[in-house]
Amino acid sequence: MKKMKKALSLGVVLSLTMALAACGSNKGNDAESSASNAQEGVTKLRIYAQYSDEDTKGYYDYAVAELSKEMPNVQLDLEIQAQDDGQKLKTYAATGNLPDIFNVGLDQINVFRQSNNILQLDEYVDKLGFKDKMQPSAMNTLYTDDNHVYAFPYAGNELILLFYNKELFEQNGVKVPTTFEEMHAAIDAFKAKGITPLSIFAKEKWPDVAFFDMFATRYNPAGISALDKGQAKPSDEAYVKAAQDIADLVKAGLLPKGATNLNYDQAAALFHEGKAAMFVNGQWEIEASTKALGDKVGYMYYPAPDAATYESNKLAFSGGGTPGGFAVSANTKDKELATKVASFMALKYAEFKYTQKGSPIVSTKVDKPIVKTFDPMMEQLAKDLPNITSTTAFAWGLSNTKFKAAIEDASQALLSGSYSAEQFVSDLESAMK
């Protein structure tokens, strides 16, 4: 049965690929596009965007309202984006029915660029000044690996933060660690008080990879992304040292007993209830931790092997993002107008998120006043974002599937306390051969 399913799946993929290729090769023919000159000088453009709940409706409604002021001659015909991992969009591409403007992720970009269904936007990001409006630290969300642009991004880089309970550190006279030596001192101090030094939901493997990545960035700011792209080897000094640092800290008592069996609720409860001094999660944890701990919670920059490395690398973050956003069909009738509208929509989506959703995690610069005040940690993050020197990748963003599987297993094993740095490196090297 498994083989039959595999064969059927392969057949569907081949059919879809052939259809996409056929459609892409039809450039210059009479491919349908919904861009049309309507009556009374109004141009209608078909757009495919999220609009499924109150959250996603807010972004779209705001951008459309702003568009009506800036380009009153443009009317958008919204088609609500299906929650189907992009399958409907791929079907549209295969049948030559792509909307003029559509919201895409990297997966769809890679499929559509091979079939020439997506408009390359290189000349437009310069012509429209969009490139100049990007956050310097978010340029990785603009360019794909072939150094071209296929979508106007609005979402920024998601980041891994090392949260800490300020009150626990102050009450117990513990210095917020900047070096691994200070991290060991913090472990000893908290253990002596019966406080878990650091909580992590290591039952899920992506936080384990992120934790390793945090340490790897102290030696190589590219972290796991350099391994994923084949630009570094697990046996390189940076990764050997990072694995050894973690093994040493785990052995010293950094984590709660059975950490690799803890889910998010269990691990977060330790931190939120003041039973753990530190916690690892993405920046999306800010709201939950602030709700639980108020102004007691903050985030620290990752510790490093020495003070000099800490200072030079403290704004090299684990985490990241991928290209995506509003793209334009290669077959739209009015490329100039469609790209102008797509760029405008992306800028307004970022503006809404920044000013009204209380989040500075956007790809483009925003100069409008904030409507919803940032939480204190978001305020700190908003100040850090323009100065971030590098980002890496989350486990789910790794492109090398063999490496992804191997580092997920090895990182989790490293946190078990019964797995050495040598085994970690050896297993990764073996998996990547």
Side-chain angles (χ1 to χ4, degrees):
M1 181 60 76
K2 288 183 178 179
K3 289 182 178 179
M4 182 180 292
K5 286 182 177 178
K6 187 174 182 180
L8 286 171
S9 298
L10 181 58
V12 171
V13 170
L14 287 172
S15 299
L16 183 59
T17 302
M18 292 173 66
L20 285 170
C23 179
S25 65
N26 202 30
K27 187 170 63 175
N29 293 340
D30 57 347
E32 290 292 333
S33 168
S34 63
S36 62
N37 292 319
Q39 294 179 348
E40 300 178 355
V42 174
T43 300
K44 290 185 179 181
L45 294 174
R46 187 167 150 234
I47 184 170
Y48 188 77
Q50 288 190 329
Y51 197 79
S52 56
D53 53 34
E54 289 307 313
D55 185 58
T56 54
K57 287 178 180 176
Y59 286 84
Y60 182 79
D61 289 343
Y62 176 81
V64 169
E66 292 294 309
L67 183 71
S68 68
K69 301 175 194 172
E70 183 76 15
M71 290 179 255
N73 61 322
V74 175
Q75 181 178 327
L76 295 182
D77 182 9
L78 171 65
E79 182 169 350
I80 298 174
Q81 183 175 322
Q83 303 300 311
D84 63 351
D85 291 330
Q87 291 307 308
K88 186 174 182 179
L89 206 55
K90 291 177 183 176
T91 301
Y92 277 154
T95 57
N97 191 34
L98 271 176
D100 301 289
I101 300 167
F102 47 94
N103 202 354
V104 289
L106 184 58
D107 174 44
Q108 291 93 47
I109 289 175
N110 288 335
V111 172
F112 296 163
R113 76 184 190 190
Q114 291 177 15
S115 57
N116 296 322
N117 277 287
I118 191 168
L119 186 65
Q120 191 183 96
L121 301 172
D122 295 21
E123 67 177 278
Y124 299 102
V125 294
D126 292 329
K127 188 186 300 182
L128 296 170
F130 192 91
K131 187 176 176 182
D132 295 334
K133 296 170 185 171
M134 288 289 296
Q135 294 265 14
S137 62
M139 294 301 284
N140 59 308
T141 64
L142 182 64
Y143 289 97
T144 56
D145 56 8
D146 63 354
N147 294 318
H148 293 299
V149 178
Y150 298 94
F152 296 103
Y154 51 87
N157 287 306
E158 306 274 0
L159 304 167
I160 289 294
L161 299 183
L162 183 51
F163 296 85
Y164 74 109
N165 186 321
K166 297 177 184 176
E167 186 177 72
L168 285 182
F169 275 80
E170 290 169 3
Q171 287 179 344
N172 292 284
V174 181
K175 182 179 185 299
V176 177
T178 60
T179 65
F180 298 144
E181 183 179 353
E182 291 172 350
M183 192 71 158
H184 278 277
I187 291 171
D188 293 341
F190 285 125
K191 281 179 61 182
K193 298 287 186 177
I195 298 168
T196 298
L198 186 145
S199 183
I200 183 172
F201 45 115
K203 186 175 183 178
E204 294 185 34
K205 294 181 179 178
W206 75 259
D208 309 335
V209 177
F211 194 64
F212 172 74
D213 191 39
M214 284 169 46
F215 284 77
T217 59
R218 299 310 85 182
Y219 299 102
N220 180 352
I224 57 171
S225 60
L227 295 172
D228 182 53
K229 296 174 182 174
Q231 297 168 346
K233 303 190 300 295
S235 57
D236 289 351
E237 186 179 33
Y239 303 97
V240 174
K241 285 187 172 180
Q244 189 61 57
D245 291 335
I246 293 175
D248 292 343
L249 290 168
V250 171
K251 187 177 180 181
L254 175 71
L255 305 178
K257 188 176 181 181
T260 53
N261 291 319
L262 294 182
N263 60 28
Y264 170 77
D265 289 338
Q266 295 166 320
L270 288 174
F271 185 64
H272 293 168
E273 294 171 6
K275 297 176 182 175
M278 294 173 278
F279 185 46
V280 176
N281 202 355
Q283 97 287 326
W284 52 82
E285 168 67 27
I286 287 177
E287 185 174 0
S289 282
T290 301
K291 185 177 180 181
L293 295 168
D295 59 5
K296 298 177 186 174
V297 67
Y299 73 84
M300 67 177 81
Y301 302 118
Y302 315 149
D306 54 63
T309 307
Y310 172 79
E311 287 299 328
S312 62
N313 269 2
K314 66 182 182 182
L315 288 172
F317 276 83
S318 171
T322 55
F326 283 109
V328 176
S329 168
N331 298 318
T332 189
K333 287 183 177 177
D334 191 338
K335 293 183 174 60
E336 294 288 334
L337 180 61
T339 52
K340 187 177 179 182
V341 172
S343 166
F344 186 87
M345 294 295 285
L347 291 170
K348 294 304 171 184
Y349 265 55
E351 191 172 286
F352 182 79
K353 184 177 181 182
Y354 190 95
T355 62
Q356 302 196 40
K357 300 298 287 183
S359 173
I361 307 296
V362 292
S363 290
T364 53
K365 302 169 188 171
V366 179
D367 58 3
K368 291 281 186 71
I370 296 170
V371 176
K372 182 184 177 184
T373 306
F374 293 162
D375 289 330
M377 274 191 291
M378 279 295 187
E379 188 70 39
Q380 181 185 345
L381 201 55
K383 293 175 182 174
D384 281 342
L385 282 171
N387 302 312
I388 286 177
T389 52
S390 62
T391 56
T392 59
F394 287 98
W396 55 79
L398 299 175
S399 58
N400 183 332
T401 54
K402 289 174 65 178
F403 169 64
K404 177 179 182 295
I407 197 167
E408 284 179 339
D409 290 341
S411 296
Q412 187 179 54
L414 196 59
L415 297 186
S416 71
S418 57
Y419 187 75
S420 69
E422 289 78 11
Q423 287 175 287
F424 178 90
V425 171
S426 176
D427 286 347
L428 284 186
E429 290 276 1
S430 297
M432 294 173 69
K433 286 180 180 176

